[in-house]
Amino acid sequence: MTPAAMPTGLRLFLDSADVEAWRRWLPLGIFCGVTTNPTLLQRAEVPCTPDALRRLADQAFALDAPEVQMQVWGEDAASMVAAGTLLAAFDERVVVKVPVTREGLICARELANEGTGVTLTALYAPHQALLAAAAGARYAAPYLGRMNDAGRQGEEDIARMEEMLARTGSETRLLVASLRSVDDLVRLAVRGIDTFTISAAVADALLVEPLTDKAVADFEAHARAMGATTPP
């Protein structure tokens, strides 16, 4: 699935650099790709080097990830552009994540002008969504859980970001990160947010429903009682 063929409605991404988590979840076909950053690389013990990152991207695409997001590094725009250009050269399906700072915005605009998909990341305030849109970013990633931890009204501020982008006709999509629970996902989806990146732990929680488990067990028992067998 190329970026142009990405779905227009709900998009779920898996927020992990752990290949084993990818192997567990990507075959379900419910994720539009994976998102990574240097913190997730460290957690998965993946070096932040060109060779290691290229191998990581190749592993994701081998598992049919439609899109892989990888983050730049560097203290100035030139360094970030160099890192972003390297990452983008891995594959056209790589989206480059850039922090929403002054230097990051310079980098984002340059990469976007070259045709690279960009995610402006580490958003904590509504006005930063406008910066991402003005920079031509494909995605803008607010951190719900961290916003709440800092005493912000995360859900309200993210809803305001979504409304601003819609009312200004921007093509930038919010990609909400730092979700702590399934309830976070549901509350934002009810408010019209449609793009999320979630941890493997939250993905696991999506499949937990005892009533469904009981119903499936009953169906299976009744099927067997009525003569069902496994086809050869």
Side-chain angles (χ1 to χ4, degrees):
M1 185 186 295
T2 63
M6 292 286 280
T8 56
L10 177 67
R11 296 186 192 179
L12 292 179
F13 291 84
L14 187 64
D15 198 30
S16 175
D18 182 352
V19 176
E20 290 306 312
W22 297 355
R23 290 194 178 109
R24 170 174 166 74
W25 284 104
L26 291 179
L28 271 68
I30 64 172
F31 288 100
C32 290
V34 298
T35 57
T36 69
N37 61 42
T39 300
L40 294 175
L41 294 177
Q42 184 179 53
R43 194 174 298 162
E45 299 183 346
V46 176
C48 191
T49 63
D51 287 345
L53 294 174
R54 181 184 290 275
R55 285 194 298 271
L56 191 67
D58 288 344
Q59 287 174 295
F61 294 130
L63 291 167
D64 294 327
E67 191 171 277
V68 174
Q69 299 205 14
M70 304 185 118
Q71 189 160 325
V72 300
W73 56 91
E75 296 182 355
D76 55 41
S79 298
M80 292 181 190
V81 169
T85 301
L86 181 149
L87 296 172
F90 293 164
D91 192 284
E92 65 179 2
R93 295 166 291 180
V94 170
V95 173
V96 177
K97 297 175 68 177
V98 182
V100 64
T101 61
R102 183 183 187 280
E103 297 300 299
L105 288 166
I106 295 170
C107 169
R109 170 50 71 183
E110 184 166 338
L111 292 175
N113 285 345
E114 293 172 355
T116 298
V118 172
T119 293
L120 262 294
T121 192
L123 277 68
Y124 284 84
H127 68 269
Q128 291 176 312
L130 297 178
L131 294 176
R138 184 180 297 174
Y139 300 100
Y143 291 174
L144 174 65
R146 294 186 186 184
M147 292 165 75
N148 291 336
D149 292 345
R152 309 285 179 89
Q153 299 298 314
E155 185 177 329
E156 294 300 321
D157 283 348
I158 288 171
R160 290 172 67 196
M161 293 181 194
E162 179 73 7
E163 184 175 1
M164 286 190 301
L165 292 175
R167 287 183 178 273
T168 57
S170 173
E171 294 183 358
T172 300
R173 297 176 70 112
L174 285 188
L175 170 59
V176 182
S178 188
L179 291 108
R180 305 282 173 74
S181 70
V182 171
D183 287 343
D184 288 341
L185 184 67
V186 171
R187 284 195 303 271
L188 287 172
V190 166
R191 302 188 72 154
I193 313 299
D194 62 7
T195 305
F196 306 91
T197 185
I198 62 174
S199 67
V202 173
D204 283 333
L206 285 172
L207 295 183
V208 175
E209 178 43 71
L211 293 177
T212 298
D213 295 340
K214 183 180 184 307
V216 171
D218 288 344
F219 294 150
E220 184 65 17
H222 297 157
R224 297 293 179 183
M226 298 306 295
T229 59
T230 301

